[in-house]
Amino acid sequence: MGAVSDEREVIRACLREFVNVRYAHGDIQNETVFDEPAGRYLVLSQGWMGKRRVHGCLIHVEFVGDKIWVQRDGTEDGIANALVEAGIPKSRIVLGFWDPEARAAGEFAAA
């Protein structure tokens, strides 16, 4: 297995950890959506909080060029940190939800 294939497995494994997260309020479930050919990985949250429908993207990670972009991160601890703990170097991860100036000053890849 090549480096990108290994990284894809790390991403899938990290995102699967969020499927069993239980929310304190409401009946909300998480599910993974993996688009392997496009290199896109999501965790979607859906359910009900009282009479209010909840449906949205909790995490969105994708390959853009030669980097792993975290486009959305609605977690407390940060999916980028989980990817680093699982062995992906910070130099490979771009925090796409940060503006470019903040990325350049941060500890992850600028782009």
Side-chain angles (χ1 to χ4, degrees), residues 3-76:
V4 171
S5 296
D6 292 342
E7 289 175 338
R8 288 174 186 252
E9 181 52 42
V10 167
I11 292 167
R12 287 189 301 266
C14 286
L15 296 188
R16 284 186 189 112
E17 294 292 319
F18 291 90
V19 171
N20 296 321
V21 169
R22 296 293 169 235
Y23 293 86
H25 304 287
D27 181 22
I28 302 168
Q29 291 80 41
N30 290 328
E31 66 182 74
T32 55
V33 179
F34 301 151
D35 179 356
E36 293 295 343
R40 291 188 185 103
Y41 305 87
L42 307 170
V43 174
L44 294 177
S45 300
Q46 61 182 338
W48 292 91
M49 187 172 293
K51 294 184 179 196
R52 189 175 135 249
R53 176 74 173 148
V54 174
H55 185 274
C57 179
L58 179 66
I59 302 169
H60 174 188
V61 176
E62 67 181 328
F63 283 86
V64 177
D66 65 344
K67 302 285 187 201
I68 298 166
W69 283 64
V70 178
Q71 303 288 21
R72 166 87 173 110
D73 187 353
T75 68
E76 288 184 24

